[in-house]
């Protein structure tokens, strides 16, 4: 062996040893609001965690490099309001609010964490945990409904409130319980809201209120200026009956007062809870949602809502800057549910990463009532990593050219035999 050959093989060994990353995303534009990054940046992952973030990470340091030039990289999205208590074959008995199966909708839309917003109550939460949360690849967290059986029907949500039972469950399941939900209440009093607040106080977690039926005895402005605590969430912020714009064309002052108190305004688009006539003038006046969420369920998934990227694209089309749209879908919801290990791509964090194509053109968006808005941009999810694993790959990045593979690839050698037909 010549000296040169020895030198080369040593160099090759060195190169192998230098592959300290499992995967490298190269050439993308990273928006990581927590770390105040909005720049061209490579991201490497190893062992399910972010192992490096830098302007130029050499491909030689990674076992696999995916070219994401032209895409925006973001932390995996956190959908703060979804319904995923889906129990096939048992729907009438348990499942809540027309739930869907989480993995069917998450990764293909850049979502790596879904917060189930009260589909289960304190009586059936453990069934939800065992049948869905523990079986999904999606990171599913939960807000427990103040009503015992959660969202089986509107009727179950009117009664059976127990703050102490929720506090006990929140302590027992603190790895997944992040909040309390009150929804679809139709009585003229504040019981559902106030007992949810009591549960939130006992468990030291926020509550989310879907105000349900808007009644004169309990006006919405009292919800956000009196009943909710700082850090509590008003979802369906752009629902039809919410008074946003006064006779002077300006946002009502009580909404600024609520925001100043620390109340969190969440989109929760859903199948009936988002009207352009409220959203467009509100965003035009610079009052952006704190958190963008879908209220994903069977009634919204194929309607105007569609998914997280579509809901985010609507906000973009109404003038909310891209960086703020990303913040409201990643770092802010993580803060709201006190899961600050999520929603950012600091070295050492979970490698939950999404990559979006921001398309330019003419796009139409409809609200929950068919009203249409023209937009010039649209987000499309091209790639999603969950814990460093490629969970969605819209454009086949990193795949091998099939012509370069063995002529018999795709056969399990130990089981399969190609038997040609007789001549
Ligand atoms: Zn909902």
């Amino acid at each position: 062996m010549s000296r040169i050959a020895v030198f080369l093989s040593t160099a090759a060994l060195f190169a192998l040893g230098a592959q300290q990353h499992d995967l490298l995303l190269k050439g993308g534009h990273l928006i990581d609001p927590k770390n105040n990054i909005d720049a061209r940046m490579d991201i490497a992952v190893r062992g399910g965690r972010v192992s490096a973030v830098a302007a130029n990470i050499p491909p030689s340091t990674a076992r696999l490099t995916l070219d994401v030039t032209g895409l925006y990289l973001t932390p995996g999205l956190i959908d703060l309001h979804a319904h995923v208590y889906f129990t096939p074959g048992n729907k009438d008995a348990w499942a809540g609010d027309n739930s869907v199966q989480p993995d069917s909708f998450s990764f293909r839309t850049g979502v790596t964490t879904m917060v189930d917003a009260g589909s289960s109550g304190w009586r059936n939460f453990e069934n939800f945990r065992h049948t869905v949360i523990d079986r999904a690849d999606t990171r599913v967290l939960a807000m427990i409904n103040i009503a015992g059986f959660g969202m089986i029907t509107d009727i179950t949500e009117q009664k059976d409130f127990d703050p102490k039972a929720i506090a006990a469950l929140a302590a027992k399941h603190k790895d997944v319980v992040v909040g309390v939900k009150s929804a679809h209440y139709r009585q003229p009093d504040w019981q559902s809201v106030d007992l949810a607040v009591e549960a939130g106080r006992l468990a030291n977690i926020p509550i989310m209120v879907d105000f349900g039926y808007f009644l004169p005895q309990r006006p919405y402005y009292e919800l956000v200026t009196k009943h909710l605590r700082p850090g509590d969430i008003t979802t369906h912020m752009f629902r039809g009956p919410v008074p946003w714009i006064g006779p002077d064309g300006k946002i009502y002052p009580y909404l600024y007062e609520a925001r100043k108190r620390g109340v969190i305004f969440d989109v929760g688009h859903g199948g009936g809870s988002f009207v352009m006539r409220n959203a467009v003038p509100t965003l035009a006046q610079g009052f952006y949602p704190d958190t963008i969420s879908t209220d994903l369920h069977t009634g919204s998934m194929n309607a105007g809502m569609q998914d997280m990227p579509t809901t985010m694209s609507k906000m973009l089309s109404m003038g909310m800057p891209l960086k703020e749209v990303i913040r409201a879908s990643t770092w802010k919801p993580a803060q709201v549910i006190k899961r600050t290990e999520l929603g950012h791509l600091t070295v050492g964090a979970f490698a939950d990463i999404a990559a979006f194509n921001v398309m330019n053109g003419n796009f139409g968006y409809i609200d929950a009532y068919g009203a249409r808005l023209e937009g010039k941009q649209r987000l499309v999810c091209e790639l999603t990593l969950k814990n460093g694993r490629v969970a969605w790959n819209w454009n086949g990045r990193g795949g091998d050219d099939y012509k370069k593979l063995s002529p018999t690839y795709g056969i399990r050698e130990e089981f399969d035999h190609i038997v040609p037909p007789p001549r």
Side-chain angles (χ1 to χ4, degrees):
M1 193 182 282
S2 73
R3 283 181 69 94
I4 289 170
V6 170
F7 173 77
L8 281 176
S9 62
T10 309
L13 275 174
F14 177 78
L16 269 178
Q19 287 178 343
Q20 72 263 39
H21 308 301
D22 297 336
L23 181 68
L24 172 62
L25 302 179
K26 187 145 189 71
H29 183 108
L30 172 62
I31 298 182
D32 180 355
K34 188 215 172 191
N35 292 309
N36 203 25
I37 299 174
D38 183 359
R40 229 306 271 119
M41 206 66 82
D42 296 342
I43 305 178
V45 309
R46 182 190 174 97
R49 304 264 177 173
V50 176
S51 49
V53 179
N56 186 14
I57 303 173
S60 60
T61 62
R63 285 199 283 116
L64 179 66
T65 297
L66 303 185
D67 181 359
V68 289
T69 304
L71 301 185
Y72 285 87
L73 302 174
T74 74
L77 305 182
I78 300 172
D79 187 350
L80 189 65
H81 185 159
H83 294 284
V84 294
Y85 184 11
F86 178 69
T87 52
N90 197 18
K91 193 171 186 305
D92 293 336
W94 290 107
D97 207 19
N98 306 315
S99 284
V100 299
Q101 200 276 337
D103 299 344
S104 309
F105 288 84
S106 55
F107 303 129
R108 59 185 50 231
T109 61
V111 174
T112 50
T113 299
M114 284 175 161
V115 180
D116 182 275
S119 306
S120 73
W122 53 271
R123 287 192 193 273
N124 54 358
F125 167 75
E126 289 193 324
N127 177 270
F128 175 40
R129 166 135 213 185
H130 296 140
T131 56
V132 176
I133 295 177
D134 291 344
R135 297 172 189 225
D137 285 337
T138 308
R139 180 178 287 103
V140 178
L141 305 173
M143 297 183 184
I144 301 180
N145 204 306
I146 186 66
F149 282 103
M151 295 182 170
I152 294 174
T153 68
D154 265 24
I155 294 159
T156 60
E157 293 197 273
Q158 309 305 315
K159 56 184 185 228
D160 204 17
F161 307 144
D162 191 340
K164 285 203 182 97
I166 289 181
L169 282 172
K172 184 176 170 193
H173 298 275
K174 56 169 162 295
D175 55 331
V176 296
V177 175
V178 296
V180 183
K181 182 81 184 287
S182 156
H184 307 152
Y185 195 53
R186 55 170 83 185
Q187 314 309 321
D189 58 62
W190 291 90
Q191 247 198 62
S192 175
V193 169
D194 290 345
L195 289 173
V197 167
E198 174 63 8
R201 194 185 61 75
L202 291 173
N204 192 27
I205 47 181
I207 78 157
M208 174 186 275
V209 174
D210 161 345
F211 204 39
Y213 298 79
F214 284 61
L215 303 173
Q217 295 91 334
R218 46 173 180 82
Y220 178 79
Y221 61 80
E222 286 189 16
L223 173 74
V224 294
T225 57
K226 291 199 175 77
H227 291 264
L228 294 184
R229 305 163 300 165
D232 286 339
I233 306 148
T234 172
T235 191
H236 306 319
M237 64 187 284
F238 294 127
R239 197 173 165 83
V242 177
W244 272 100
I245 306 298
D248 60 355
K250 297 210 170 105
I251 295 171
Y252 280 115
Y254 83 92
L255 293 154
Y256 292 105
E257 191 192 320
R259 171 158 277 183
K260 209 169 151 207
R261 288 181 66 233
V263 168
I264 303 297
F265 286 85
D266 175 58
V267 172
H269 188 304
S273 301
F274 185 94
V275 293
M276 298 287 188
R277 69 172 166 79
N278 274 342
V280 173
T282 300
L283 269 72
Q285 290 175 48
F287 195 116
Y288 301 139
D290 291 297
T291 52
I292 297 172
S293 69
T294 59
D295 188 14
L296 174 71
H297 53 71
T298 55
S300 64
M301 65 189 200
N302 293 327
M305 189 287 288
Q306 299 182 11
D307 54 29
M308 268 303 272
T310 306
T311 308
M312 293 160 74
S313 300
K314 283 181 189 174
M315 303 306 143
L316 207 53
S317 301
M318 292 179 206
M320 187 169 175
L322 180 60
K323 187 177 173 183
E324 295 312 311
V325 168
I326 301 301
R327 182 195 306 278
S329 314
T330 58
W331 176 231
K332 187 65 183 182
Q335 291 174 291
V336 168
I337 56 174
K338 303 182 185 181
R339 291 297 163 114
T340 51
E341 73 275 21
L342 302 175
H344 57 89
L345 294 172
T346 313
V347 171
F350 293 122
D352 289 2
I353 307 172
F356 294 95
N357 186 357
V358 181
M359 296 170 71
N360 294 295
N362 294 312
F363 304 102
Y365 298 103
I366 49 175
D367 69 12
Y369 296 87
R372 189 171 187 273
L373 178 81
E374 285 269 332
K376 294 288 176 203
Q377 290 185 306
R378 176 150 197 149
L379 294 166
V380 175
C381 178
E382 290 214 12
L383 187 74
T384 305
L385 267 56
K386 162 79 192 314
N387 285 348
R389 181 183 69 85
V390 175
W392 173 249
N393 191 357
W394 187 73
N395 224 342
R397 284 180 168 79
D400 297 312
D401 181 344
Y402 82 94
K403 294 190 287 301
K404 292 182 182 160
L405 296 178
S406 114
T408 57
Y409 82 88
I411 290 175
R412 298 163 300 173
E413 305 274 353
E414 67 276 34
F415 301 119
D416 297 327
H417 305 273
I418 299 178
V419 181
R423 286 176 183 248

